[in-house]
Structure formats: C-alpha cells, structure tokens
C-alpha cells in the first residue's frame, strides 16, 4: 500500500512542476515583453538574412543545383568530391588554415598588447595613437598601397630598396611568384587586422575597476604580469570574446585582399582561399549545391574554432 501511495502521489507532483514551469515562463515573458518588442526588429532581420540562409545552404549542400534545373538530391556526393577529387580545394583549405593559424593568434595578441600599452598613455596621446592604429581598417582600399610597395618593376619600393642595397640585381615579380605571394597577403592581412578588436580591447581596459587593482595588491599581486592575468584579463572577458570572434572570422574569410593583390585565381593557386573557391563555384560556375558544401565546411571550421577559443578564454585567471 505504501508503494502504491508513493506512485500515486508522484503524478500530481510532476504535473505541478510542469504547470509551475509553464507559469513561470509565461510570467517572465510577460514581464520582459518590452525587451522582446525592442529586440524583435533585429531578431527578425537576423533570422531572415542569417539563420534561414545558413539553414538553406546546409540543406542545399546535399543537392546538385545549377540554378537552371530543379535541385536533385545527391547525398554526400558534394562533400566526397570536395575532399577526394578537388585538389584546388585542398590547396585553398591549406592556405586558409595557414592564414587562421598565423594571422588569427598574432593579430589577436598584437591588438591586445598595443591596446594595453596605449591605455597607459595620457588621454590626448591615447586618442591619437588609437586613431593611428585603427585607421587602416576604416580606410577602404588603402591596402592597394602594397601594390606599389611590391610592384614587379624597378619602380616598386621593395625592388628599388633591395637593388640599391645590392641584394638583388633585377626586379622580383613579388605578386606573380608563388614563393612570395602568400607571405605578402598574410603580411597585409596582419596590417589590416588592428581594427575592431583593438577598439574593443581599449574600451575593456577603460572599464576596469581600479579598486580591484588595489585589492589585488593587498592580496599579494606583486607585478604587472600577475595583475594582467588575475585582474585585467578576467575583468574584460566579454571584450576578449568579441575580439576573438572578430579575428577568427577575419582570418577564415580572407578573399578581397588575396584577389586584389594576387589576382583571381592567383598563380598556381598560391594565395587561393576557401572563400575565393566558394566565389568561383557560387558566382562564376553557378554550382550552388557544391558552393553550399564549401560554405558549410567553412562554417564548421569557424564554429569549431570559436568553441575552442571560448574554452580557452574560460581558463584565464585560473
């Protein structure tokens, strides 16, 4: 009898919990209705132009679709072709990963170090230096100056400088030589990367409560490096995460710089990236199913890198 009584009593308890959870959800939605109304325009645009296109692209990657015929389901054929039969994609994937490994961490650390150093300057000098570091990222096609620097004739700054020093005897075709073109594109990408992340770090450093530094000194913080690790970095985790997302996106989405400097396609695909490969099949050949498979692989790479970065940032200050 006792067992039956306990089983019988369990059902009303579970029902009460479900009703209570549903009631609390509706109550919270009602109390926060103003916030949801304010968020509605952005969320609507976000779902229409981001979430839905990503979902359609993911589904379309399993179809053959050339925009002239109806989509035809081909299963995993696009992905098998991508990794087993497309040698150019493998070159593009290698170049993109190289971009991400070099430009991502280097530019991220450089942005923070420059922001940390500039933050210690006087307000007027800090404003000027912030403009100097941020200017390249808002100057449009200013990176075309690198076409003059690495011009393939003797009037190019790099060739003229090396010839005057006697290092070389004749001009080098920097942007037409596969030995140099990828390194040049990486260099320009690093130069342009001191942008939004740099501003986010400056803003984060400005909002740190100085009383935490004083309390840390009392608790045994002995130098600036300990202050950085135990106080500064944990206090600006939101800015660090924002900067990481921006740098990861920029490092994986390199295309415009590669096309402007190295051409499309570049010599022997030396500066070919996943995005330029996507543009080739999506906007030139109109193989939309295959292009969607390329986009899905790129999305997976970005998502995985972001998750890994989040786990690493949670360990800061431990």
């Amino acid at each position: 009898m006792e067992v039956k009584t306990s089983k019988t009593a369990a059902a009303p308890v579970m029902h009460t919990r479900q009703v209570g959870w549903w009631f609390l959800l509706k109550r919270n939605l009602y109390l926060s209705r103003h916030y949801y109304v304010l968020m509605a325009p952005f969320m609507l645009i976000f779902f229409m132009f981001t979430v839905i296109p990503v979902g359609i692209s993911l589904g379309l990657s399993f179809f053959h679709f050339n925009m002239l015929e109806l989509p035809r389901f081909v299963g995993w054929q696009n992905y098998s072709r991508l990794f087993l039969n497309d040698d150019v994609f493998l070159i593009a994937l290698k170049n993109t990963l190289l971009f991400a490994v070099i430009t991502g961490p280097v530019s991220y650390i450089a942005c923070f170090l420059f922001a940390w150093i500039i933050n210690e300057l006087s307000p007027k000098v800090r404003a000027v230096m912030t403009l100097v570091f941020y200017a390249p990222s808002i100057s449009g096609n200013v990176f075309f100056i690198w076409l003059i620097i690495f011009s393939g004739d003797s009037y190019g700054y790099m060739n003229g400088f090396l010839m005057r020093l006697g290092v070389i005897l004749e001009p080098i075709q920097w942007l037409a030589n596969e030995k140099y073109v990828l390194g040049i594109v990486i260099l320009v990408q690093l130069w342009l990367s001191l942008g939004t992340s740099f501003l986010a770090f400056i803003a984060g450093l400005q909002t740190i409560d100085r009383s935490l530094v004083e309390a840390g000194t009392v608790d045994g913080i002995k130098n600036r490096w300990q202050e950085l690790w135990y106080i500064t970095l944990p206090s600006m985790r939101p800015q660090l995460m924002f900067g990481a997302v921006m740098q990861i996106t920029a490092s994986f989405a390199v295309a415009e710089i590669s096309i402007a400097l190295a051409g499309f396609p570049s010599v022997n695909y030396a500066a070919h990236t996943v995005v330029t490969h996507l543009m080739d099949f999506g906007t030139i050949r109109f193989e939309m199913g295959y292009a969607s498979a390329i986009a899905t692989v790129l999305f997976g790479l970005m998502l995985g890198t972001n998750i890994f970065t989040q786990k690493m940032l949670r360990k800061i200050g431990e």
Side-chain angles (χ1 to χ4, degrees), residues 18 67 145 152 190 241 260 268 308 313:
Q18 293 175 358
M67 298 186 70
I145 188 65
L190 285 172
M241 179 57 64
N268 290 334
F308 173 76
L313 289 177

Side-chain angles (χ1 to χ4, degrees), residues 42-54:
F42 169 78
M43 295 303 297
L44 180 63
I45 295 173
F46 178 74
F47 271 91
M48 287 182 61
F49 296 102
T50 303
V51 176
I52 294 177
V54 168

Side-chain angles (χ1 to χ4, degrees), residues 10 42 49 52 66 68 80 102 140 164 181 187 220 228 249 251 253-254 264 299:
F42 169 78
F49 296 102
I52 294 177
N66 57 10
L68 297 176
S80 62
I102 296 177
R164 177 165 296 186
V181 64
L187 175 64
L228 175 67
T249 304
S251 60
V254 174
F264 184 54
F299 176 75

Side-chain angles (χ1 to χ4, degrees), residues 196-240:
T196 308
S197 301
F198 173 76
L199 284 185
F201 294 155
I202 285 284
L205 290 167
Q206 290 291 308
T207 58
I208 294 176
D209 188 357
R210 301 307 301 176
S211 63
L212 295 176
V213 179
E214 298 173 0
T217 303
V218 175
D219 291 338
I221 297 295
K222 298 179 180 179
N223 52 55
R224 293 299 301 275
W225 293 109
Q226 290 182 346
E227 177 189 322
L228 175 67
W229 182 255
Y230 292 107
I231 297 176
T232 304
L233 293 178
S235 299
M236 52 184 298
R237 275 199 179 97
Q239 290 83 9
L240 292 176

Side-chain angles (χ1 to χ4, degrees), residues 121-140:
L121 303 175
S122 62
K124 292 183 179 179
V125 178
R126 183 170 61 238
V128 174
M129 295 301 296
T130 301
L131 177 62
V132 169
F133 278 94
Y134 186 63
S137 64
I138 60 174
S139 301

